[in-house]
């Protein structure tokens, strides 16, 4: 999945699990091909409703391993409160790349063998507190 597909699926789930767009939308049709969504006819012949399937909902969820990586990024595996926001790698990491696509992290390439992943506010809210403010996030 790419960021646009993740965003579309989250938008659909937040709005009655349907997304109304053109029949030939490539992102949605790709999700239908993968089994993450279904297509239903729309009011107009060139439009369709796309609905996220249970497999699509599962694909948006984080694994326990990914949650652990996010907690470590914020220092929550050693502390009750976040005190940092980085995860240092010497090569790309598939778990972190998936977290970036889903909007829980961002990636910064410093050099050939230095990659730093940082959690986003969405990531902090997932592993710490759902009501964490942007001001609190920026203070970490």
């Amino acid at each position: 999945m790419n960021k646009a597909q993740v965003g579309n699926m989250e938008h659909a789930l937040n709005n009655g699990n349907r997304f109304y767009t053109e029949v030939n939308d490539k992102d949605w049709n790709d999700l239908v091909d993968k089994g993450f969504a279904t297509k239903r006819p729309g009011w107009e012949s060139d439009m369709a409703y796309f609905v996220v399937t249970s497999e699509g909902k599962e694909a948006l969820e984080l694994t326990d391993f990914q949650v652990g990586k996010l907690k470590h990024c914020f220092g929550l595996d050693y502390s009750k409160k976040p005190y940092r926001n980085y995860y240092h790698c010497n090569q790309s990491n598939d778990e972190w790349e998936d977290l970036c696509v889903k909007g829980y992290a961002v990636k910064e390439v410093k050099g050939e063998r230095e990659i730093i992943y940082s959690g986003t506010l969405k990531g902090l809210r997932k592993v710490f507190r759902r009501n964490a403010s942007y001001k609190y996030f920026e203070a970490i």
Side-chain angles (χ1 to χ4, degrees), residues 43-61:
W43 292 104
E44 301 166 16
S45 62
D46 61 338
M47 302 295 280
Y49 281 104
F50 291 91
V51 178
V52 180
T53 62
S54 58
E55 291 85 6
K57 290 176 187 174
E58 283 182 28
L60 289 176
E61 291 297 316

Side-chain angles (χ1 to χ4, degrees), residues 100-115:
C100 290
V101 167
K102 292 177 181 175
Y104 292 100
V106 293
K107 176 182 178 179
E108 182 181 353
V109 179
K110 294 277 190 175
E112 282 185 35
R113 299 193 46 89
E114 187 176 7
I115 299 172

Side-chain angles (χ1 to χ4, degrees), residues 8-21:
N8 287 343
M9 289 173 56
E10 288 176 344
H11 180 80
L13 291 170
N14 290 332
N15 292 286
N17 193 12
R18 61 180 183 220
F19 194 97
Y20 194 66
T21 189

Side-chain angles (χ1 to χ4, degrees), residues 74-89:
F74 289 114
L76 292 170
D77 50 354
Y78 301 112
S79 174
K80 292 184 181 186
K81 291 184 179 181
Y83 64 91
R84 65 178 183 211
N85 186 6
Y86 64 88
Y87 189 95
H88 189 269
C89 295

